[in-house]
Amino acid sequence: MEEETENLVPISVSPQRIRDTKLELTVDEVVEDYVGSLGFSQIIHVFLVSLAWIFDSQNTLVTIFTDAQPAAWRCTSPPCVRNDTANAAAVCSMVAGSWEWIGGSKSSVIAEWSLICDRRFLAAAPASLFFIGSLLGSGFYGWIADAYLGRKKTVLLSCLLSSITSFLTSFSPNIWVYALLRFSNGFARSGIGICCLVLSTEAVGRKWRGQVGQYGFFFFTFGFFSLPLIAYPNRTCWRNIYRILAIPPLVYSLLVIPFVSESPRWLLVKGRSKEAFDILKRYAQLNGRKLPANLCLLEPSQGKTGCGQARMNLWSTKWAAKRMITLMIAGFGVGSVYYGVQLNVENLDFNLYFSVGLNAMMEIPAVFIGSVLLSFTNRRSLFSWSAYIAGISSIICIIFSRGRKKGDESKGAWTQLIIEGIGFMAASTAFDVLYIYCVELFPTNVRNFAVSMLRQSLMLGASIAPLFVVLGRLSPSLSFLVFGLLSIFSGTLSLWLPETKNAPLYETLEQQEEEEKLSSLSVESALELGK
């Protein structure tokens, strides 16, 4: 009996036994309990990552200036008799060489390659091909980021290719090469937004995911706002604009990317647990914290993760495929409204540079309001109501567009501008929230691919937006009606998606399916007990 007691006492109180016991936690638990939900290290990380959104915005919206129709033309010799008119159609019947664009033939691609009269539809090709390139690139970058390179290296690749294609675009000899290079640039830049969003949100706790995701859109707005400042000094040479835009992503790739950390969630899913642990340890140290000596990361249960398997898993899992399809249809509607309004800014009765700057400034309150609302409202409700407001605003504009069509500029012009502004802010909020929603709806091993699929649907909507803008020139009422119905339909679709506010980020499809089933059963049991 004494021997048994002697053997039991040391074992029960042995400090060595306590130290040797492994503390196995998920990345979510380590971040929440030991690293900190949002500390100094994550703030710096998110800031460095989000800088790349600037280049994404600049490359997307640069055609507002480079592909714009010059403001006016003037006569140079008889038989031309009219001067300084903005009516471009009037020159179609004039003799070549009897007139010229004010600002020079190099002020835009339309002026340089005479994309007017019977060639006017060619002017829309580069913008549409850019978004088609973005659509295809989104699928490629989403797949390669999940399966091979990870988030950090994919951002690096996308930035380098964006820089190269922007620079090459400035040497385009004709509209066909220009359109091809715009397609290439769209393909190249599409990896930036996808990976930056995922890389930022995967580093913080669940409480701050929405705000951190919105943070990147501030930089997107800054890139939009910087375009008039770059374009105005180079208004007589569109090629210089592309050369300037090629510099920032190259500098970012060389000087900033080396200081960005890879996602510990992705590293863990790929079996690189030591690297994931080292990154979390570094985060904790910068936050003034320390990880327990016996801590180790709990590796998620892995399905097959071979080449391209993330895509097969997502589409072969019924619940995930259903969510993805619903998101993509909603994204199509929001993408066409969001980008359509921005590309249509040159048709406003204001100075182009001022209009773009004002349009960019309108995004700032949209992002700020979205960030605040995300902290205490449901994702699903915020997205659907934003989409509804954007849609209703577009439909209300039909009333004022009829008055404008009749030439009554004083009646309702400013009212329509205000309503359009409210609609654009709501569309911007819906656009931003949809990205955050997508990040939270899918696990780590397919998250980047899921975001890329959403991006593809947004770009598909954007690629047809120029057609709606042209339609609006023929019938403003019909254009507003199409945008309004698409937005309302997108908001309604989200009602079939689950809520994700404060939900954990899962690592694999298998884990998420099991946890969500258990959570659903717990809710059902609680309801039964309540009865």
Side-chain angles (χ1 to χ4, degrees):
M1 191 68 177
E2 290 180 1
E3 290 180 1
E4 291 180 4
T5 305
E6 288 175 1
N7 291 334
L8 288 173
V9 172
I11 294 175
S12 62
V13 298
S14 171
Q16 185 64 38
R17 174 68 178 272
I18 296 174
R19 285 194 300 268
D20 291 343
T21 302
K22 287 185 178 180
L23 178 61
E24 292 187 323
L25 298 175
T26 63
V27 174
D28 251 339
E29 291 169 334
V30 174
V31 171
E32 297 286 353
D33 299 336
Y34 295 100
V35 173
S37 187
L38 181 67
F40 177 76
S41 62
Q42 289 120 312
I43 291 173
I44 295 299
H45 171 79
V46 171
F47 172 77
L48 295 178
V49 170
S50 299
L51 286 173
W53 279 96
I54 297 174
F55 328 132
D56 186 57
S57 174
Q58 291 173 337
N59 281 280
T60 301
L61 303 170
V62 63
T63 51
I64 293 175
F65 298 103
T66 60
D67 296 15
Q69 183 171 288
W73 57 273
R74 63 190 171 200
C75 294
T76 56
S77 61
C80 177
V81 295
R82 286 181 287 184
N83 282 295
D84 300 328
T85 176
N87 183 14
V91 304
C92 295
S93 58
M94 295 183 182
V95 178
S98 65
W99 63 277
E100 66 179 5
W101 294 110
I102 295 176
S105 61
K106 305 294 184 181
S107 59
S108 75
V109 298
I110 290 179
E112 181 166 351
W113 295 317
S114 300
L115 303 181
I116 55 173
C117 304
D118 59 335
R119 289 166 55 86
R120 61 184 178 275
F121 291 106
L122 288 177
S128 292
L129 284 174
F130 174 87
F131 287 115
I132 292 173
S134 297
L135 186 154
L136 298 176
S138 296
F140 169 76
Y141 283 114
W143 165 69
I144 203 171
D146 279 334
Y148 291 108
L149 296 183
R151 289 73 164 111
K152 175 181 175 180
K153 290 181 180 178
T154 303
V155 172
L156 174 62
L157 176 64
S158 188
C159 285
L160 288 174
L161 291 179
S162 294
S163 177
I164 293 170
T165 52
S166 291
F167 186 70
L168 292 177
T169 301
S170 68
F171 296 99
S172 302
N174 53 57
I175 183 61
W176 307 109
V177 175
Y178 176 73
L180 178 62
L181 287 170
R182 285 300 293 160
F183 171 85
S184 302
N185 185 247
F187 187 97
R189 54 69 70 167
S190 57
I192 296 176
I194 296 169
C195 294
C196 286
L197 178 65
V198 175
L199 195 55
S200 295
T201 53
E202 288 187 340
V204 301
R206 64 186 68 176
K207 178 183 177 182
W208 297 100
R209 288 198 302 259
Q211 289 82 349
V212 163
Q214 290 285 96
Y215 187 64
F217 296 120
F218 275 111
F219 288 86
F220 185 92
T221 302
F222 179 79
F224 188 15
F225 189 76
S226 70
L227 280 174
L229 305 179
I230 296 172
Y232 186 76
N234 297 282
R235 58 191 179 278
T236 59
C237 183
W238 65 268
R239 297 177 186 272
N240 286 341
I241 299 176
Y242 281 106
R243 290 165 188 159
I244 293 172
L245 294 186
I247 297 173
L250 179 62
V251 174
Y252 178 84
S253 300
L254 298 176
L255 301 182
V256 179
I257 282 287
F259 296 98
V260 173
S261 301
E262 180 56 87
S263 167
R265 297 177 187 275
W266 180 81
L267 290 170
L268 187 63
V269 166
K270 303 305 289 185
R272 297 158 63 178
S273 55
K274 185 180 184 305
E275 294 175 61
F277 183 84
D278 290 341
I279 290 173
L280 291 172
K281 184 178 180 181
R282 186 163 62 249
Y283 283 164
Q285 289 174 344
L286 289 173
N287 289 345
R289 300 190 178 194
K290 188 177 181 181
L291 299 183
N294 60 338
L295 175 66
C296 65
L297 296 177
L298 180 63
E299 295 191 15
S301 57
Q302 292 290 327
K304 296 178 181 179
T305 55
C307 175
Q309 193 68 30
R311 178 170 57 183
M312 188 184 76
N313 280 345
L314 188 149
W315 292 120
S316 62
T317 306
K318 185 176 179 180
W319 64 267
K322 183 180 177 181
R323 287 185 190 180
M324 193 72 258
I325 292 171
T326 304
L327 271 178
M328 290 177 69
I329 297 174
F332 173 83
V334 171
S336 33
V337 175
Y338 176 75
Y339 284 108
V341 172
Q342 294 184 83
L343 295 175
N344 195 42
V345 70
E346 67 173 272
N347 293 320
L348 296 176
D349 294 325
F350 294 94
N351 177 273
L352 178 61
Y353 302 94
F354 175 78
S355 299
V356 173
L358 185 63
N359 212 19
M361 289 180 66
M362 289 163 58
E363 281 213 75
I364 296 176
V367 175
F368 178 76
I369 292 171
S371 300
V372 173
L373 292 177
L374 276 171
S375 63
F376 60 87
T377 61
N378 294 336
R379 275 65 165 139
R380 182 173 57 192
S381 300
L382 180 56
F383 170 76
S384 60
W385 278 108
S386 298
Y388 290 152
I389 294 172
I392 293 170
S393 298
S394 293
I395 293 174
I396 292 175
C397 282
I398 294 174
I399 302 171
F400 301 99
S401 67
R402 288 174 179 171
R404 187 177 63 181
K405 188 176 180 180
K406 293 176 182 179
D408 189 3
E409 294 294 337
S410 62
K411 182 181 178 181
W414 279 100
T415 306
Q416 185 192 40
L417 184 64
I418 293 171
I419 295 173
E420 284 178 330
I422 294 172
F424 175 68
M425 289 175 62
S428 178
T429 301
F431 183 90
D432 298 348
V433 171
L434 193 61
Y435 269 117
I436 309 302
Y437 203 7
C438 183
V439 167
E440 297 179 339
L441 280 170
F442 297 95
T444 301
N445 69 330
V446 295
R447 185 172 296 124
N448 231 95
F449 181 75
V451 174
S452 74
M453 294 303 295
L454 172 62
R455 180 90 163 195
Q456 284 182 300
S457 66
L458 290 166
M459 292 304 103
L460 182 61
S463 67
I464 68 167
L467 300 178
F468 294 145
V469 173
V470 172
L471 184 66
R473 293 169 187 165
L474 302 174
S475 175
S477 298
L478 186 57
S479 177
F480 285 125
L481 181 63
V482 170
F483 283 136
L485 293 178
L486 280 173
S487 190
I488 292 172
F489 179 67
S490 297
T492 304
L493 274 179
S494 66
L495 300 178
W496 278 268
L497 293 169
E499 181 51 50
T500 60
K501 186 176 183 291
N502 292 328
L505 288 183
Y506 301 103
E507 310 304 340
T508 65
L509 286 163
E510 295 83 0
Q511 180 195 14
Q512 183 161 347
E513 186 172 11
E514 292 174 6
E515 295 291 337
E516 288 187 350
K517 281 182 179 178
L518 289 174
S519 177
S520 178
L521 290 172
S522 298
V523 172
E524 290 177 5
S525 300
L527 290 174
E528 289 178 2
L529 289 173
K531 291 179 181 180

